[in-house]
Amino acid sequence: MSLARRRFLQSAGAAASGLALGSSWLLAAETPAPSFTFAHLTDIHVQPERGAVEGFKQCIAAVNRLPVRPDFVITGGDLIMDALAVDRDRLDLQLKLFDECCRDFELPVHHTIGNHDVVGWADKAKIGKSDPTYGKRLFAERYGQGRTYRSFDHRGWHFILLDSIGQQPGSDEYMGLVDDAQIEWLKGDLQKVGVARPIVIVTHIPFYSTWHQVVASPTAPQNPKSLIDNSHVFRKLLKPYNVKLVLSGHGHVRERIEISRQTHIQSGAVSGAWWRGRIEGDAEAYGVVTCHADRFDYRYETYGWESRPA
C-alpha cells in the first residue's frame, strides 16, 4: 500500500472517530437556539366609553389565537385611560375594567408603567398625596410585583422593564425621566447580565423619536413629556451591552429608529387614537416579537377593531 493511500485511510479513520466521539458537540454547534415569541401591547387606555372594554377583549382574543403562541405578553404602559387627573371612583372603575379584561389572557403578562398609570401627578389632580393610591404606589402593588421597574430572563434573553415617568421640578406634572436610583439599579443589573446576552428594554416614554419633528419642526423644542430627558445617559450606559431592541409606546404612532446596533421601535397603540379610531392611518394594533439566537423579528398585528361613537 502506498504512503499516500495509508495517510488517506488514517485521516478518514480519525475523522470517523471524531464524528463518533464528538457527534453531540457537533449537533449542538450546528443546531440554533430555539426561538420564541412575545406580544407587546401598549397604550391600551381602558375606559367604560367608546367600547374600549370590548376592544381590549378583542385584542386579547387575537393574541390568544396567534398561530405561533407567544410565551408571554408585555404591556407597554397607559393601561387605563387616565389616573393623573380623575377622582377615586373613576380610577377604581377603570382599574376594575382593566383587571376583568386581563383575566381573558391565556398567557403570562408583565406590565410596564405609563404616565397615565400614575395617580395624581397633574396640576388638576383630584386625588391628593395623602391618598394610599397616590403616585406610583398603586401600580407597584397591583401590577409591578412591588416595584415600578424590574428585569427577568427568558430562554437566553434578558428583559428590562423601565419606569420612564419622572416629575417636573417644582410641578405636579410628569415628564420623561429615569431617576438616579433606577439608573444605579440598572448598572448592577447589566453587569450581572454581561456583554454577550441579548437584551430587550421596554419603556413607555421613548428614548428617541422623529415624530415631533414631522408634525412640528426639526428645530422645535421638545415638550418634557414627550421623550426621556436623560436618554444621553443611556446611550453611554448601554453601549457595551448587547441591547438588541428598545420597545416603547406613548406616541401612539409606529416608528422604527436604528442607532448603532440598537433598534428602537415605538409600537402603535392598542387603543389607536384613544378609541376614537385610527391614528395617522394606522389601525388599532399590537406588536409581535420573535427572538432568535442573537436577533429578532418584529411585526405589527391589527385585530379588526372598528371604532364606535362616544
Side-chain angles (χ1 to χ4, degrees):
M1 182 183 295
S2 68
L3 179 61
R5 177 66 175 166
R6 284 200 303 273
R7 286 178 175 172
F8 170 79
L9 292 174
Q10 288 170 351
S11 299
S17 175
L19 284 171
L21 295 174
S23 59
S24 60
W25 178 86
L26 288 169
L27 286 171
E30 293 171 1
T31 303
S35 61
F36 67 92
T37 295
F38 70 93
H40 178 233
L41 280 62
T42 190
D43 296 276
I44 301 163
H45 288 287
V46 168
Q47 59 175 338
E49 296 82 19
R50 296 184 179 272
V53 169
E54 293 82 358
F56 185 29
K57 283 178 172 284
Q58 186 169 318
C59 181
I60 292 171
V63 172
N64 287 339
R65 63 172 181 265
L66 282 168
V68 176
R69 191 177 184 84
D71 284 16
F72 54 87
V73 171
I74 296 179
T75 62
D78 284 3
L79 310 180
I80 62 175
M81 188 64 184
D82 185 57
L84 294 166
V86 297
D87 61 27
R88 186 62 184 270
D89 288 343
R90 175 74 177 183
L91 174 64
D92 289 344
L93 174 59
Q94 293 174 94
L95 293 169
K96 176 178 177 288
L97 294 174
F98 179 80
D99 290 346
E100 288 174 352
C101 290
C102 284
R103 295 192 189 105
D104 289 351
F105 276 118
E106 298 172 3
L107 311 161
V109 182
H110 303 275
H111 294 297
T112 309
I113 189 170
N115 53 290
H116 285 283
D117 305 316
V118 181
V119 179
W121 280 19
D123 290 338
K124 297 180 179 180
K126 297 179 181 179
I127 297 177
K129 295 179 182 179
S130 62
D131 192 286
T133 64
Y134 179 79
K136 301 176 182 180
R137 286 174 288 185
L138 183 145
F139 177 90
E141 294 170 3
R142 195 162 183 150
Y143 304 116
Q145 301 179 14
R147 306 184 70 173
T148 58
Y149 55 89
R150 62 187 181 89
S151 65
F152 64 93
D153 296 308
H154 187 78
R155 295 173 67 174
W157 284 64
H158 188 66
F159 290 80
I160 299 171
L161 311 182
L162 289 180
D163 174 357
S164 56
I165 318 303
Q167 199 162 30
Q168 296 184 31
S171 170
D172 290 329
E173 294 285 333
Y174 77 89
M175 66 178 294
L177 184 75
V178 177
D179 63 25
D180 292 341
Q182 190 175 173
I183 290 173
E184 288 304 309
W185 166 84
L186 182 59
K187 288 177 181 177
D189 187 69
L190 290 169
Q191 287 173 359
K192 293 175 185 176
V193 172
V195 298
R197 193 185 313 176
I199 297 169
V200 175
I201 294 175
V202 184
T203 169
H204 179 68
I205 297 179
F207 288 166
Y208 312 105
S209 175
T210 63
W211 181 243
H212 304 282
Q213 294 177 318
V214 172
V215 297
S217 162
T219 58
Q222 292 287 345
N223 187 311
K225 296 180 176 182
S226 300
L227 300 172
I228 295 176
D229 182 71
N230 53 343
S231 291
H232 60 288
V233 174
F234 288 90
R235 183 180 63 80
K236 298 174 183 177
L237 176 59
L238 300 178
K239 188 174 182 180
Y241 298 98
N242 191 17
V243 178
K244 295 295 185 184
L245 175 62
V246 179
L247 285 169
S248 67
H250 194 51
H252 289 231
V253 293
R254 286 191 287 168
E255 189 173 31
R256 183 172 182 142
I257 300 174
E258 306 283 348
I259 300 177
S260 185
R261 296 176 300 158
Q262 298 173 10
T263 300
H264 293 250
I265 294 178
Q266 181 176 238
S267 291
V270 170
S271 65
W274 299 267
W275 300 107
R276 297 187 185 96
R278 297 186 174 215
I279 185 162
E280 296 299 322
D282 287 336
E284 300 81 357
Y286 60 95
V288 178
V289 184
T290 301
C291 297
H292 306 284
D294 197 48
R295 65 179 181 86
F296 72 91
D297 298 315
Y298 175 91
R299 72 179 188 272
Y300 192 62
E301 287 279 346
T302 59
Y303 59 93
W305 179 248
E306 296 292 337
S307 61
R308 300 180 183 179

